[in-house]
Amino acid sequence: MRISLHSQCFFSFIRILLIFCIFNCFTLHAYNQCLEDQRTVLLELKNDLIFDSTLSTKLVLWNQTRDCCSWEGVECDGTGHVINLQLNEEGILGGIHNLSTLSGLGYLEKLNLAYNDFGGVQIPEGILNLKHLTHLNLSYAPFGGQVPIEVSLMRRLVSLDLSSLVSYLKIENPNLKMLLQNLTGLRELYLDGVNISAQGSEWCQAISSSLPELRILSLKLCSLSGPLHYSLSKLHFLSVVQLDANDILSPVPNFFANFSYLTTLSLSGCGLNNSLSGSIPQSLFSLPSLKSLKLSDNQLSGRLYEFPTLQFSNIVVLDLRDNRLEGQIPESFFTLERLEYLDLSYNFFNGTVQLEKFQRLQNLGVLVLSNNNLSVDTSITNTSLSTFPQLSGLALASCKLHKFPDLINQHELKILDLSNNRITGEVPNWIWEIGNGKLFYLNLSLNLLVGLQKPYHIPSSLILLDVHSNQLHGELPPLPPHAEYMDYSHNNFEKSIPLNIGNPTTKLVYLSLANNSLSGAIPTSFCNATQLQVLDLSANKLSGTIPPCLVQNLKQLGVLKFGGNNISGNIPNTFCVNCSLEILDISHNYLEGSLPVSLANCKSLQVLNVRNNNIDDGFPCMLPSSLRILMLRSNRFHGQVRCSKSWTNLQIIDIASNNFTGYLYTKSFLGMMLEKDARLKSDYIQYNRGFVYGDDYYRATVKVTAKGVEMEFVKISTTFTVIDFSCNNFQGEIPDAIGDLSSLCVLNLSHNTFAGIIPKSLGNLKHLESLDLSTNQLRGEIPKELTRLTFLGALNLSNNQLIGPIPSGPQLQTFSTNSFQGNTGLCGFPLNISCRHTGENDNVPPPNSYRKDEAINWDYVSVALGYVIGLGSIFWLLFFCQSFKHKFNDQTEQVFEKVFNPKGKRRRHRGGVTRRC
Ligand SMILES: *[C@@H]1O[C@H](CO)[C@@H](O)[C@H](O)[C@H]1NC(C)=O
Ligand SMILES: *[C@@H]1O[C@H](CO)[C@@H](O)[C@H](O)[C@H]1NC(C)=O
Ligand SMILES: *[C@@H]1O[C@H](CO)[C@@H](O)[C@H](O)[C@H]1NC(C)=O
Ligand SMILES: *[C@@H]1O[C@H](CO)[C@@H](O)[C@H](O)[C@H]1NC(C)=O
Ligand SMILES: *[C@@H]1O[C@H](CO)[C@@H](O)[C@H](O)[C@H]1NC(C)=O
Ligand SMILES: *[C@@H]1O[C@H](CO)[C@@H](O)[C@H](O)[C@H]1NC(C)=O
Ligand SMILES: *[C@@H]1O[C@H](CO)[C@@H](O)[C@H](O)[C@H]1NC(C)=O
């Protein structure tokens, strides 16, 4: 009896403690001598558990000779029973299958196994038998499967934490209501990451009807759906509500404004949307207790109105990032005197705001106003004071700044983003001194800056420096020693790259010097920057050869680009065995020799662009099957294009303007057009191996020619497919099997010596937007099947030996005469030759003097037909219908529209086919 009395006292003690102290603030004290049986149980437990003794700080020290109540992580009550066991972060990896030994600790009230790795096993029976538990913490452990019904029998639970980043646990059957029904004393419920797929009314009612004592409710990323049911308003004692990353999809309910103990309301990424009257209840800002309000990444819209100014507002964190809020920033915000963190970026706030106004918020540590329609006036009248004594992060991107704000006295500033403004002149040299040598993030990109004021000293604290897209000139500034991400691209930097550039920079991950006027050689010291993942030296005036160590030493390198320089010599055959290159662009140089066979080591290579060089080689059959884009255009490649393997991911192949010969074998490229479901994973071809800074990916860009116009694609959709074999010496017939490349967007076979007829099967290429078969020796009539190509925007059949009427229908007549000229016997609109004698065609000699078996490898064709029957083109139509807009940046889109959409109306969605290229 004494014991249960004691534990009840302890219970109420915890309660009182919790009211005043939301977070865990107990320390462990040994009260008494350990009982023998308790010691035995603990030793058995230690024996059962498999743990990493280098990570363990408690278990590893448990020592027979000491009183077990004084062991690390163990606490006993007055009678020597273990009541508290804290084995969090002990590197436990297993040995927990049923943990029956734990049942021996019948008095246990608190159990913490957080931050171990149980590998997703069921919550073991041994734990479920502990009916006296008041605190159960199994967070980030992680356990998996259904949360067992036994949890509902732990009627004394005050705090339950089953959070996990990766969701292994689910609450389905028994459902949330069943589980919580009898846990009426629960005050803290953390189920972040547990899969509780449940409707708004269901989970809200389960919680509000069962847990009258609840103070902390944290259900982030639980697959919950909304709306937030009114029954939650019963829980007006709640102090913490965290429901981030669920599909709530409803307005923020008014009732939260009645929660007078609310300190944290966090609803980021919940799809919260627009009610008509402005979607954030103003009264929330006036809640006296509220400290943290996070509503980022939703669709909240409308204006924010002024709210009553409180004498003591406690708001410390206000995060409204990435919504659709508009109008002026309310003046009332400038009265939130305790504010430390304010993020209003990525909204539609407008008007002019004086930076000076924020001076009233003397505790402000982070201020983010970027990417609104704001004009920020940075003129400050009283400059003698340190304007923002606590400010450590300031982001004013796209705030229409014309000059640098005066930040000389910002001694705490570590992060500064002034990108995408209209700042002119030189970068003042005081900027490197702000933050007292602690500045680590500086983004000045997309301004009108012309130089760096001298003398300057780039601080060694700098980790990220982005000055891309300015007009900076002169010598390249040195890289700070701890640099990780450096972007000097799109400026006018000249002279040579410092020879020792790669030497002190052991942490450098990303370096772009592209689009400058740098000359001289590629320094071999780059080979010492072994962490480098992206190296972009494109579009400069670099000369000399490629240092062989570059592809040999840099094992992390994922993107290597130095297209558009004057590099000559051979490509070194030193690609290392664990080469991790994904994008290699060395186009537009003077490289010669062959493509190195060691490229086969680059098993993740997605893009290989060697166009416009002098490479003299056969077709590179050794390239890895990961390839998506292959550009060999304008070199001296020769021989047949025939490999025994196929590239199932290939989507753009441009081998134009070489000296390839022989027949066209489509087998290697068939897989490419058919097996495309794997591509749905990402929309663009991009490199995204974990950059810490910036939220953008490094995307592949490539130039593609269609209808004689070369376009740069800045984002390459994974559904954009091109075959360009033009300007070679291909011969024989165009194989029928080409019609099986059912997702093709651009086909160019012009300027070869293809003979025979135009295969009817081309009519199956339903997505084709550009077809060029000009300047060949094609004969016979234009198959009427081509009229099925509803998205065709560019057609060139000129300079062949085609005859007969141009098939009529909505399609072909929309093209100009240029598409058909230079043929011997074509007639009909749009040509100015009428087809007078309808019987004429009968007199035409048989179109084809080639023997079929000469032209086509029948084995390949039958394989191809097998594929087609298996999958069917409807499949592709359903899966790859994507809107055009998402694929190109604004400029290229315009070009593309002009080329592909000369007659807008033709673009109409017809016959169930949707445009996907
Ligand atoms: C649990 O562990 C005990 C002791 O190791 C063992 O005897 C028992 O069979 C186990 N029970 C289950 C269900 O695995
Ligand atoms: C659970 O334990 C972890 C690690 O000790 C701790 O960070 C977390 O706050 C605990 N949860 C609760 C609800 O106390
Ligand atoms: C909750 O308690 C009631 C009354 O003791 C009992 O009938 C019911 O089965 C319990 N529910 C659960 C899920 O344990
Ligand atoms: C807030 O509380 C008051 C007083 O208890 C009540 O009249 C009002 O309806 C509540 N508002 C909401 C939105 O629940
Ligand atoms: C700001 O936005 C509001 C509403 O969105 C609009 O009515 C107002 O004209 C805008 N003001 C300015 C200065 O653009
Ligand atoms: C690479 O670093 C090593 C060791 O610091 C140095 O000896 C060598 O000269 C460096 N290589 C180049 C090309 O700078
Ligand atoms: C192209 O190849 C053919 C046949 O192999 C050869 O006769 C011709 O000289 C080559 N042309 C060029 C420009 O290399």
Side-chain angles (χ1 to χ4, degrees), residues 1-16 31 75-84 105-110 131-135 155-158:
M1 289 308 109
R2 261 187 68 207
I3 292 151
S4 79
L5 236 176
H6 175 93
S7 53
Q8 265 183 18
C9 290
F10 190 71
F11 185 62
S12 14
F13 167 68
I14 298 277
R15 279 188 178 200
I16 292 160
Y31 290 109
E75 184 191 1
C76 300
D77 65 5
T79 62
H81 288 104
V82 176
I83 55 165
N84 188 352
L105 301 178
Y107 295 84
L108 203 61
E109 293 172 357
K110 294 182 195 160
K131 298 287 182 294
H132 292 256
L133 282 184
T134 58
H135 291 72
R155 300 225 183 162
R156 299 185 184 182
L157 270 185
V158 171

Coordinates of all heavy atoms in Angstrom, one line a residue, residues 1-16 31 75-84 105-110 131-135 155-158:
M1 N 0.8 -1.2 0.0 CA 0.0 0.0 0.0 C 0.9 1.3 0.0 O 0.6 2.2 -0.7 CB -0.9 0.0 1.2 CG -2.0 -1.0 1.2 SD -3.0 -0.9 -0.3 CE -2.5 -2.4 -1.1
R2 N 1.9 1.2 0.8 CA 2.8 2.3 0.8 C 3.3 2.7 -0.6 O 3.4 3.9 -0.9 CB 4.0 2.0 1.7 CG 3.9 2.6 3.1 CD 5.2 2.4 3.8 NE 6.3 3.2 3.3 CZ 7.6 2.9 3.3 NH1 8.0 1.8 3.9 NH2 8.5 3.7 2.8
I3 N 3.5 1.6 -1.3 CA 4.1 1.9 -2.6 C 3.1 2.6 -3.5 O 3.4 3.5 -4.2 CB 4.5 0.5 -3.2 CG1 5.7 0.0 -2.4 CG2 4.9 0.6 -4.7 CD1 5.8 -1.5 -2.4
S4 N 1.8 2.1 -3.5 CA 0.9 2.7 -4.4 C 0.6 4.1 -4.0 O 0.4 5.0 -4.8 CB -0.4 1.9 -4.5 OG -1.2 2.1 -3.4
L5 N 0.6 4.3 -2.7 CA 0.5 5.7 -2.2 C 1.6 6.6 -2.7 O 1.4 7.6 -3.3 CB 0.5 5.7 -0.6 CG -0.7 6.3 0.0 CD1 -0.5 6.1 1.5 CD2 -0.9 7.7 -0.4
H6 N 2.8 6.0 -2.6 CA 3.9 6.8 -3.0 C 3.8 7.1 -4.5 O 4.0 8.2 -4.9 CB 5.2 6.0 -2.8 CG 6.4 6.7 -3.4 ND1 7.2 7.5 -2.7 CD2 6.9 6.7 -4.7 CE1 8.1 8.0 -3.5 NE2 7.9 7.5 -4.7
S7 N 3.4 6.1 -5.3 CA 3.4 6.4 -6.7 C 2.2 7.3 -7.1 O 2.4 8.1 -8.0 CB 3.2 5.1 -7.5 OG 2.2 4.3 -7.1
Q8 N 1.2 7.3 -6.2 CA 0.2 8.3 -6.5 C 0.7 9.7 -6.2 O 0.4 10.7 -6.9 CB -1.1 8.0 -5.6 CG -2.1 7.2 -6.4 CD -3.3 7.0 -5.6 OE1 -3.6 7.7 -4.7 NE2 -4.1 6.0 -6.1
C9 N 1.4 9.8 -5.1 CA 2.0 11.1 -4.8 C 2.9 11.6 -5.9 O 2.9 12.7 -6.4 CB 2.9 11.1 -3.5 SG 1.9 10.9 -2.1
F10 N 3.7 10.6 -6.4 CA 4.6 10.9 -7.5 C 3.8 11.4 -8.7 O 4.2 12.4 -9.4 CB 5.4 9.7 -7.8 CG 6.6 10.0 -8.7 CD1 7.7 10.7 -8.2 CD2 6.5 9.6 -10.0 CE1 8.7 11.0 -9.1 CE2 7.6 9.9 -10.9 CZ 8.7 10.6 -10.4
F11 N 2.7 10.7 -8.9 CA 1.9 11.0 -10.0 C 1.4 12.5 -9.9 O 1.5 13.2 -10.9 CB 0.7 10.0 -9.9 CG -0.3 10.1 -11.0 CD1 0.1 9.9 -12.3 CD2 -1.6 10.5 -10.8 CE1 -0.8 10.0 -13.4 CE2 -2.5 10.6 -11.8 CZ -2.1 10.3 -13.1
S12 N 0.9 12.8 -8.7 CA 0.4 14.2 -8.7 C 1.6 15.2 -8.7 O 1.4 16.3 -9.2 CB -0.4 14.5 -7.4 OG -0.3 13.4 -6.5
F13 N 2.7 14.8 -8.2 CA 3.9 15.6 -8.2 C 4.2 15.9 -9.7 O 4.4 17.1 -10.1 CB 5.1 14.9 -7.6 CG 6.4 15.5 -7.8 CD1 6.7 16.8 -7.3 CD2 7.3 14.9 -8.6 CE1 7.9 17.3 -7.5 CE2 8.6 15.4 -8.9 CZ 8.9 16.7 -8.3
I14 N 4.2 14.9 -10.5 CA 4.4 15.1 -12.0 C 3.4 16.0 -12.6 O 3.8 16.9 -13.3 CB 4.3 13.7 -12.7 CG1 5.3 12.7 -12.2 CG2 4.4 13.9 -14.2 CD1 6.7 12.9 -12.8
R15 N 2.2 15.9 -12.2 CA 1.2 16.7 -12.7 C 1.4 18.2 -12.4 O 1.4 19.0 -13.3 CB -0.2 16.4 -12.1 CG -0.9 15.2 -12.7 CD -2.2 15.2 -12.1 NE -3.0 14.1 -12.7 CZ -4.3 14.0 -12.7 NH1 -5.0 14.9 -12.1 NH2 -4.9 13.0 -13.2
I16 N 1.7 18.4 -11.2 CA 2.0 19.8 -10.8 C 3.2 20.4 -11.5 O 3.2 21.4 -12.1 CB 2.2 19.9 -9.3 CG1 0.9 19.6 -8.5 CG2 2.8 21.3 -8.9 CD1 1.1 19.2 -7.1
Y31 N 16.8 7.0 -4.6 CA 16.3 7.2 -3.2 C 16.8 6.1 -2.3 O 17.0 6.3 -1.1 CB 14.8 7.2 -3.2 CG 14.2 8.4 -3.9 CD1 13.6 8.3 -5.1 CD2 14.3 9.6 -3.3 CE1 13.0 9.4 -5.7 CE2 13.7 10.7 -3.9 CZ 13.1 10.6 -5.1 OH 12.6 11.7 -5.7
E75 N 16.1 4.8 -11.7 CA 15.7 5.5 -10.5 C 14.7 4.6 -9.7 O 13.9 3.9 -10.3 CB 14.9 6.8 -10.9 CG 14.5 7.6 -9.7 CD 13.5 8.8 -10.1 OE1 13.2 8.8 -11.3 OE2 13.1 9.5 -9.3
C76 N 14.9 4.5 -8.4 CA 14.0 3.7 -7.6 C 13.1 4.5 -6.7 O 13.4 5.7 -6.4 CB 14.9 2.8 -6.7 SG 16.1 1.7 -7.6
D77 N 12.1 3.8 -6.2 CA 11.3 4.5 -5.2 C 11.9 4.2 -3.8 O 12.9 3.5 -3.7 CB 9.8 4.1 -5.3 CG 9.6 2.6 -5.0 OD1 10.6 1.9 -4.6 OD2 8.5 2.1 -5.2
G78 N 11.2 4.6 -2.8 CA 11.7 4.4 -1.4 C 11.9 3.0 -1.0 O 12.6 2.7 -0.1
T79 N 11.2 2.1 -1.7 CA 11.3 0.7 -1.3 C 12.3 -0.1 -2.2 O 12.4 -1.3 -2.1 CB 10.0 0.0 -1.4 OG1 9.6 0.1 -2.8 CG2 8.9 0.7 -0.5
G80 N 13.0 0.6 -3.0 CA 14.0 -0.1 -3.9 C 13.5 -0.6 -5.1 O 14.2 -1.4 -5.8
H81 N 12.2 -0.3 -5.5 CA 11.7 -0.8 -6.8 C 12.1 0.2 -7.9 O 12.0 1.5 -7.6 CB 10.2 -0.9 -6.7 CG 9.8 -2.1 -6.0 ND1 9.2 -2.0 -4.7 CD2 9.8 -3.4 -6.2 CE1 9.0 -3.2 -4.2 NE2 9.3 -4.1 -5.2
V82 N 12.4 -0.3 -9.0 CA 12.8 0.6 -10.1 C 11.5 1.3 -10.6 O 10.5 0.6 -11.0 CB 13.5 -0.1 -11.3 CG1 13.7 0.8 -12.5 CG2 14.8 -0.7 -10.8
I83 N 11.4 2.6 -10.7 CA 10.2 3.3 -11.2 C 10.5 4.1 -12.4 O 9.6 4.6 -13.1 CB 9.6 4.2 -10.1 CG1 10.7 5.2 -9.6 CG2 9.0 3.4 -9.0 CD1 10.1 6.3 -8.8
N84 N 11.8 4.3 -12.7 CA 12.1 5.1 -13.9 C 13.3 4.5 -14.6 O 14.3 4.3 -14.0 CB 12.4 6.5 -13.4 CG 12.6 7.5 -14.5 OD1 12.6 7.2 -15.7 ND2 12.7 8.8 -14.2
L105 N 9.8 -5.5 -13.9 CA 9.9 -4.2 -13.3 C 8.4 -3.6 -13.1 O 8.0 -2.7 -13.8 CB 10.7 -3.2 -14.2 CG 12.1 -3.6 -14.5 CD1 12.8 -2.6 -15.4 CD2 12.9 -3.7 -13.1
G106 N 7.7 -4.3 -12.3 CA 6.3 -4.1 -12.2 C 5.9 -2.7 -11.7 O 4.7 -2.3 -11.7
Y107 N 6.9 -2.0 -11.1 CA 6.6 -0.7 -10.5 C 6.9 0.5 -11.4 O 6.8 1.6 -11.1 CB 7.3 -0.5 -9.2 CG 6.8 -1.5 -8.1 CD1 7.3 -2.8 -8.1 CD2 5.8 -1.1 -7.2 CE1 6.8 -3.7 -7.1 CE2 5.3 -2.0 -6.3 CZ 5.8 -3.3 -6.2 OH 5.3 -4.2 -5.3
L108 N 7.4 0.1 -12.6 CA 8.0 1.1 -13.5 C 6.9 2.1 -13.9 O 5.8 1.8 -14.3 CB 8.5 0.4 -14.8 CG 9.5 1.2 -15.5 CD1 10.8 1.5 -14.7 CD2 9.9 0.5 -16.8
E109 N 7.2 3.4 -13.7 CA 6.3 4.4 -14.1 C 6.7 5.2 -15.3 O 5.9 5.7 -16.1 CB 6.2 5.4 -12.9 CG 5.5 4.8 -11.7 CD 5.5 5.7 -10.5 OE1 6.2 6.8 -10.6 OE2 5.0 5.3 -9.5
K110 N 8.0 5.3 -15.5 CA 8.5 6.0 -16.7 C 9.5 5.1 -17.5 O 10.5 4.6 -16.9 CB 9.2 7.3 -16.3 CG 8.3 8.3 -15.6 CD 9.2 9.5 -15.3 CE 8.4 10.3 -14.3 NZ 9.3 11.3 -13.6
K131 N 1.7 -2.0 -16.7 CA 0.4 -1.3 -16.5 C 0.5 0.0 -15.6 O -0.5 0.8 -15.6 CB -0.7 -2.2 -15.9 CG -1.0 -3.4 -16.8 CD -1.8 -3.0 -18.0 CE -2.1 -4.2 -18.9 NZ -1.0 -4.8 -19.6
H132 N 1.6 0.2 -14.9 CA 1.7 1.3 -14.1 C 2.3 2.5 -14.7 O 2.6 3.6 -14.1 CB 2.5 1.0 -12.8 CG 1.8 0.0 -11.9 ND1 1.2 0.4 -10.7 CD2 1.6 -1.3 -12.0 CE1 0.6 -0.6 -10.2 NE2 0.9 -1.7 -10.9
L133 N 2.7 2.4 -16.0 CA 3.4 3.5 -16.7 C 2.6 4.8 -16.7 O 1.4 4.8 -16.9 CB 3.7 3.1 -18.1 CG 4.9 2.1 -18.3 CD1 5.1 1.9 -19.8 CD2 6.1 2.6 -17.7
T134 N 3.3 5.8 -16.3 CA 2.7 7.2 -16.5 C 3.4 7.9 -17.7 O 2.7 8.7 -18.3 CB 3.0 8.0 -15.3 OG1 4.4 8.1 -15.0 CG2 2.3 7.4 -14.0
H135 N 4.6 7.5 -18.0 CA 5.3 8.2 -19.1 C 5.9 7.1 -20.0 O 6.8 6.3 -19.5 CB 6.4 9.1 -18.6 CG 6.0 10.3 -17.9 ND1 5.4 10.2 -16.6 CD2 6.0 11.6 -18.2 CE1 5.0 11.4 -16.3 NE2 5.4 12.3 -17.2
R155 N -3.8 2.8 -17.9 CA -4.7 3.9 -17.6 C -4.1 5.1 -16.9 O -4.7 6.1 -16.7 CB -5.8 3.3 -16.7 CG -6.5 2.3 -17.5 CD -8.0 2.5 -17.3 NE -8.7 1.4 -17.9 CZ -10.0 1.1 -17.6 NH1 -10.6 1.8 -16.7 NH2 -10.6 0.2 -18.3
R156 N -2.8 4.9 -16.4 CA -2.2 6.0 -15.7 C -1.4 6.9 -16.5 O -0.8 7.9 -16.1 CB -1.3 5.5 -14.6 CG -2.1 4.6 -13.6 CD -1.2 4.2 -12.5 NE -1.9 3.3 -11.6 CZ -1.4 2.9 -10.5 NH1 -0.1 3.2 -10.1 NH2 -2.1 2.1 -9.7
L157 N -1.4 6.6 -17.8 CA -0.5 7.4 -18.7 C -0.8 8.9 -18.7 O -1.9 9.3 -18.7 CB -0.7 6.9 -20.2 CG 0.2 5.8 -20.7 CD1 0.0 5.6 -22.2 CD2 1.7 6.1 -20.4
V158 N 0.3 9.6 -18.5 CA 0.2 11.1 -18.5 C 0.9 11.6 -19.8 O 0.4 12.6 -20.4 CB 1.0 11.6 -17.3 CG1 1.1 13.1 -17.4 CG2 0.3 11.2 -16.0

